[in-house]
Amino acid sequence: MERLIKGDSVSTTRKRKTTTTSIREKKKKKLTSSSSLAYDLLVMIVARVPRSYYRTLSLVSKSFRSMVVSPELYKVRSLLGLTETCLYVCLRFGFSCYKWYTLSKKSSGGGGYVLARVLMLDDDSPRMMGLCYSDLVAVGSDIYNIGVADKNKTMPTSGVSILDCKTHRWRKSPPRMPVELTELSARFLDRKIYVLGRRFHQDDGCWKSSFEVFNTNTQTWDLPSCGGFDSARINYLIDGKLHVVTLFDGVFAFDSKQCRWDLVEQYPSTGIMCSGSFCEVDNVLYSVSEDGALTWYDSDKTSWRDLNGLVALPKLPSPLDGYGSYVKLTGYGGGKMMVFWNCNFGIHRPFQRDTIYCAEIGDCWGKLEWFDTMLLVPVETQFVKVLALTL
């Protein structure tokens, strides 16, 4: 009887423990399900927030910091059709230190923008050789680094790497360029990256311009479908055609559908030749003049014209003074243009600080939307590239 009672007691205790465990497991599953549902709802909410606010959201908690770079978030944004244009700025500090920034909303309630540092998740981010040995080009939400340098190499290379701006990770490198080029200039057109550069020809014993074409769909290098130029220096896009400026032969436009080059200007204007600061917005080419003013190219009259209506905009660095790397232009979507420049260009004093400014130009008539300070940097800081991406 005592054993039966004890047995009953033990049995009852076991039943109670089993019942308690079962209840706990159900609560845990319910809690997990609720947490998952809450996270999905939160992703749906954050996906509707403009990306310029993501820097502020990442400061809230680790969960938000992980969410704003998660693939799920950008998948939802894509399904909802909420992609937007974002700006990425690459700055060079000294000879070999490169840092990335993005245009973000200020975390304070005063409004305005700021250049926020982009922390790469890779410790082994590839570096660029300099302003003439490599180039950066935006393709969708990716940035291609053409001519990327190896850690221990100081000469031009044929390496290529890709930065995923959704996750801020460098992806596996695609195939290298067939040849090594210097003085690179890359443009994206019809799902292909056209890379203009110079290489030394052993047969002739001289340097010549050369084109390499990368197909972003197949991730392979195509056979160059365009001829070389002996003195090509700059390429740009107008009316969906790739243009090449040469020193002596004029300006040529490449028709990718007909696969041919056409001479469009016999004597190239010096405005684009002497400036490393230019961009294309709605088939209009913009640049910086000799006196530091914004200009646009009138293709009908084949001449450069000043951009009027910018009285409140400070004078920009002149490219003829050797400060072409201190001002950068880029399109920003909707016919707008963003202008970045340094304030104390040309000043080289120990421990001197410099100010980076940014201005938004509304249209080709020179409507100044705003301009403001973006970042304090050491004096000899240079712009490598300013890129507009779709995210």
Side-chain angles (χ1 to χ4, degrees):
M1 180 65 68
E2 291 178 0
R3 290 180 179 177
L4 183 59
I5 294 174
K6 288 180 180 181
D8 291 341
S9 177
V10 170
S11 177
T12 304
T13 303
R14 287 178 179 174
K15 287 182 179 180
R16 287 177 181 175
K17 286 183 179 180
T18 303
T19 304
T20 304
T21 303
S22 177
I23 294 173
R24 286 177 179 174
E25 290 178 353
K26 288 181 180 180
K27 287 184 177 180
K28 186 176 181 180
K29 289 182 180 179
K30 185 177 181 180
L31 182 61
T32 303
S33 178
S34 300
S35 300
S36 177
L37 179 60
Y39 179 82
D40 293 341
L41 290 174
L42 193 58
V43 169
M44 293 289 290
I45 295 172
V46 174
R48 289 170 167 80
V49 177
R51 196 174 182 275
S52 57
Y53 289 94
Y54 282 9
R55 171 178 172 268
T56 303
L57 286 174
S58 65
L59 300 176
V60 175
S61 65
K62 291 183 179 180
S63 299
F64 276 95
R65 197 175 306 129
S66 301
M67 182 183 298
V68 295
V69 295
S70 64
E72 293 83 7
L73 178 64
Y74 287 95
K75 184 177 181 180
V76 173
R77 286 174 59 83
S78 178
L79 292 174
L80 295 176
L82 297 175
T83 57
E84 59 185 286
T85 304
C86 301
L87 283 183
Y88 276 74
V89 180
C90 182
L91 299 178
R92 187 178 70 172
F93 299 84
F95 292 100
S96 59
C97 180
Y98 296 86
K99 296 181 181 179
W100 290 86
Y101 297 83
T102 184
L103 191 67
S104 302
K105 287 285 188 180
K106 290 183 178 178
S107 55
S108 60
Y113 294 88
V114 67
L115 278 180
R117 177 75 186 279
V118 177
L119 298 177
M120 301 297 176
L121 298 180
D122 306 65
D123 295 331
D124 190 25
S125 298
R127 60 187 179 91
M128 288 146 283
M129 279 299 305
L131 300 177
C132 61
Y133 291 142
S134 63
D135 199 9
L136 301 166
V137 60
V139 180
S141 61
D142 296 328
I143 295 177
Y144 282 72
N145 186 1
I146 311 292
V148 58
D150 298 328
K151 275 188 172 182
N152 301 320
K153 197 165 185 179
T154 58
M155 297 297 292
T157 75
S158 58
V160 181
S161 61
I162 304 175
L163 174 62
D164 185 347
C165 291
K166 294 179 180 179
T167 61
H168 295 152
R169 289 183 180 274
W170 289 98
R171 292 211 307 265
K172 183 180 179 181
S173 299
R176 289 174 170 265
M177 282 189 295
V179 296
E180 293 182 351
L181 299 176
T182 184
E183 297 185 23
L184 299 184
S185 179
R187 291 291 180 272
F188 179 65
L189 174 66
D190 295 334
R191 299 180 296 278
K192 294 182 179 181
I193 299 176
Y194 292 85
V195 184
L196 170 65
R198 300 178 69 224
R199 68 187 183 96
F200 187 77
H201 289 254
Q202 297 288 347
D203 298 336
D204 301 334
C206 62
W207 289 85
K208 289 186 178 180
S209 299
S210 178
F211 260 106
E212 298 297 331
V213 184
F214 183 75
N215 190 318
T216 58
N217 282 351
T218 61
Q219 292 288 291
T220 57
W221 291 93
D222 295 342
L223 291 175
S225 56
C226 40
F229 298 92
D230 292 338
S231 58
R233 287 293 181 270
I234 289 176
N235 60 343
Y236 55 88
L237 299 174
I238 293 183
D239 295 329
K241 291 184 179 180
L242 183 71
H243 288 64
V244 170
V245 181
T246 65
L247 287 176
F248 309 108
D249 301 324
V251 180
F252 294 84
F254 178 65
D255 190 335
S256 59
K257 296 181 180 179
Q258 300 294 328
C259 192
R260 71 182 186 188
W261 288 95
D262 298 318
L263 180 66
V264 294
E265 187 178 348
Q266 185 67 47
Y267 302 102
S269 302
T270 57
I272 190 67
M273 290 298 296
C274 65
S275 174
S277 307
F278 64 92
C279 73
E280 311 90 14
V281 181
D282 291 346
N283 294 322
V284 178
L285 186 64
Y286 295 88
S287 184
V288 181
S289 66
E290 300 176 4
D291 57 355
L294 286 174
T295 59
W296 64 281
Y297 185 68
D298 190 339
S299 57
D300 295 330
K301 298 181 179 180
T302 63
S303 63
W304 290 90
R305 301 176 61 181
D306 289 340
L307 197 60
N308 299 319
L310 301 176
V311 180
L313 186 69
K315 182 181 178 180
L316 300 175
S318 170
L320 288 182
D321 293 333
Y323 306 130
S325 59
Y326 289 85
V327 56
K328 290 296 179 184
L329 317 177
T330 187
Y332 192 52
K336 297 181 179 181
M337 177 173 60
M338 306 297 286
V339 184
F340 289 86
W341 73 96
N342 292 38
C343 180
N344 298 322
F345 51 90
I347 299 177
H348 303 287
R349 298 173 184 170
F351 308 107
Q352 177 75 29
R353 303 293 289 178
D354 199 356
T355 304
I356 291 181
Y357 283 84
C358 177
E360 181 179 339
I361 312 299
D363 51 42
C364 64
W365 298 108
K367 181 182 178 182
L368 179 61
E369 300 287 347
W370 58 266
F371 82 91
D372 200 355
T373 59
M374 294 287 106
L375 189 68
L376 287 175
V377 295
V379 161
E380 295 184 352
T381 301
Q382 294 184 341
F383 289 101
V384 176
K385 199 87 172 189
V386 178
L387 298 163
L389 298 97
T390 304
L391 293 170

